[in-house]
Each structure stands twice: as C-alpha cells, then as structure tokens.
Amino acid sequence: MKTPSALRRFLTNVYGFAFFDKLTFLAPVYAIFMQSHGVSDMRLSFLFILFSIGTIVSQPPVVALTARLGARRTLVLGQLFKIFAFALWVLWPTWVGFMVGMFVWGMQSGFYAVTFEGMLYDEMAARHHRDMYTRVLGRRYAFETSAAAVSALGSLMMIWGYGWVTVASLLSVLMSILWVGRMRLTARRCGAKRVAGDPVRLSRLLGRGLDIAWKNPCILTAMMVALVVLNFAYLEDYLGPIGLQIGLPVAYVGVMQFVVLGASLVGQTIAGYGKGLRDRILFLLIGIGGACFIGFGLTYSVSALGLLGLAYVIFKGANVLLYARFQMAVPARYRSVMLSVYTTLNHAMYIGICVLIGWGGEMGSWRYSICILGALLTMLGLGALVAPRRCGVKLPSA
C-alpha cells in the first residue's frame, strides 16, 4: 500500500528527530572521560543510576507538560535539558558536575520516553495507519541505531580534545530540535489532556494502568519481557570501559559501538517485518542470545565480538516486536500513563542492572556481570518457552 504524502512527511520528521537525538558523539568516550577525572567503576554505575532516577522523577511533570504545552513544545524543552547536561560536563568536570549533568540528562530521557513515544503511536492511529506501527517502530529504531553507530566516531575525534566532541554532540541536539519544529500533528486530543492538572485523577489512572497490565496477561507479558530483555541486554553505557578491558586503545573503543549497533540495526530492520513471529520462536531466540552473552563473557576478547554482535541482533529485534505488542494492547485513553509506568519500571530495573555491572567492575572485570546477565536471559527465554499462556482476557472499559 502506498504511503500518503502527509504521512511520509510526518515520518520523515520523526526519523530525522530520532536520528539526531541519538547522534551523540560523546557516547563512546564520556564514561572514559569521567573515569579519567577520578570516577571509579562503582561510582560510574552510580552516575547511570542517577540518570534513571532523573527519568523516573520526571514522569509526572512530563505528562502534565505534554497536556499543557503539546508534544512538540515539550520535546523541545527536553532537548534543552540535554544541551545543559552535555555543556556542564565539559565546563565543570567534577564529581558534582557529573552528577548534576547525568540527572538532568535522565530527565530529558523522560521527555523522550513519554512524549515522543506516545505522540508517534497516537499520530499513526489518528492517521488510520495503526497497522503500520510495528514497521515504523522498527525503522525508527534502525535510524536511532544508525545514529548511535555514527556516534562511535567520537572516539576518533578525541585527538582534537573532549571539548570538540561535546560541540559536535550539541550541534546534533540543535538539529533534532529543527526536525521537531517541522512536525505537523493531527492527534490533538489524548488521554493526558483529559487529566492535566488533576493529580488525584492522574494517580487513579496510574493505578488503573497497573490494574490493566495485571489483569490482562498479554499486556503484562509483553511489557515485562520487553523490560527484562531491554535492561538485561543493555551494555551500551559500558562499551567504552569494556573495550579497554579486552585490549582496544582509547582511540578505537568506538569499534565496540560499531559492532553492537551494527548488529542492532540488522535485528531492528528484520523485526520491522516480523509482526507475525510466533512467541515460542521469539523466546527460543532470546535464550540463544543469552547463551551468546555467556560465550562473550567467558572468552572476553576482541575475537569474541561476533558472539556479542549475534546477541544484539536477537535482543534488539525482540525488543521491537515486544514493545510494539505492548503499545498495541494499551487503550488509547491510558497511553501516556501506561508509558510512564513502562518507563518507571524500565529505569527502576536498570538501577539494579547498574549495581550488578558495577559490582563486576569492582571485582576486577565487567565479564563477571556479563556472564550473569547472559545466564538470566537464557533462563528467561527457556522459562517463557515452556510457561503456559493465558491471553484473551478482556480489557476493562475506559
């Protein structure tokens, strides 16, 4: 089916915003930069935890701001937070500066997770192209992954100094704001608008969203498995230090990002066309991906990067499918609140993963944490493979 021109223009702006938001040349080097200023392995994990805390605490104001200002203005505000965080690190490279910047960047992540995710699905539904959402989601993830792969060049830019890497990242954020300004939205009314400025009602809807997820096994399974796979397979924040441990020079730690993100791009692109993939096959693949993690952790060398890449093909593809199923199962009225629930659980889970990975670093190597995560993912895949399914429970009426 031919895509209408208005929808093509909207999706072009969506892909443009997603690309430049993820085009962060600081990505492969900011953790190394922080550690060069005295941040230990466990403190580095604490900074990532602070990022998640910033995302969690931003949820209520983001829902309210989206209702009051609209999706576009709220997204722009979030991008300004990101500019502040990146500039702060280079201007004030201290432990306090790193903490403040990471917290503020986490708040920007909350804007993205609730406002952008909700806006995209609501727009597809308002334009009567809900059936295309899985494919659009896969393509959007592919653009984000491509941008993250290009960001790996940030390690090569270190020959000019960290300041220039920061400037390049800030320019990318400004470009993302331009793409937001080009968006023309049709979904004017959403669930968030009906509860704006009413914290009691918002609290009730939050409880209602949890109730929906609990009473409907399809929603609960899609949400929780997506969250576990997303977090247990998320090593991106640690790729720089891991690259150093397996023997890569600082200037070439971007190779880690190329391998991981190139594999992610493959998985996300394939997943965009895999809407009908059976659950049992999906869970079996997740188990295989966990085994690949274990293999990489045991070998822990440049020669084992192929195993890491294969794992990311599987995990990133699985995430596209699981997240799309979750979105499709959520009633439109509860979308912004359910996305807040998803985002809050996501970052709460990530905090635990950061503690686990930080513990591995303190023990002498990140490889220990990678092996543990791989074992957990393998058990998830095999456990879900044999677990009984109870779908079909009706959603409560809106």
Side-chain angles (χ1 to χ4, degrees), residues 208-227 322-323 325-331 334 338 341-342 390-396:
R208 189 63 163 166
L210 290 170
D211 185 57
I212 289 172
W214 181 253
K215 290 182 177 179
N216 190 288
C218 295
I219 294 179
L220 185 62
T221 299
M223 180 171 69
M224 294 310 299
V225 176
L227 286 170
L322 290 167
Y323 186 76
R325 292 174 189 180
F326 163 67
Q327 280 271 47
M328 289 178 178
V330 175
Y334 299 107
M338 285 299 295
V341 172
Y342 180 93
R390 294 191 306 108
C391 288
V393 178
K394 291 184 179 180
L395 292 168

Side-chain angles (χ1 to χ4, degrees), residues 129-149:
H129 288 286
R130 183 175 177 270
D131 59 317
M132 292 177 57
Y133 176 72
T134 301
R135 184 176 299 182
V136 169
L137 187 65
R139 288 178 178 173
R140 195 202 90 200
Y141 283 168
F143 273 95
E144 291 175 347
T145 302
S146 299

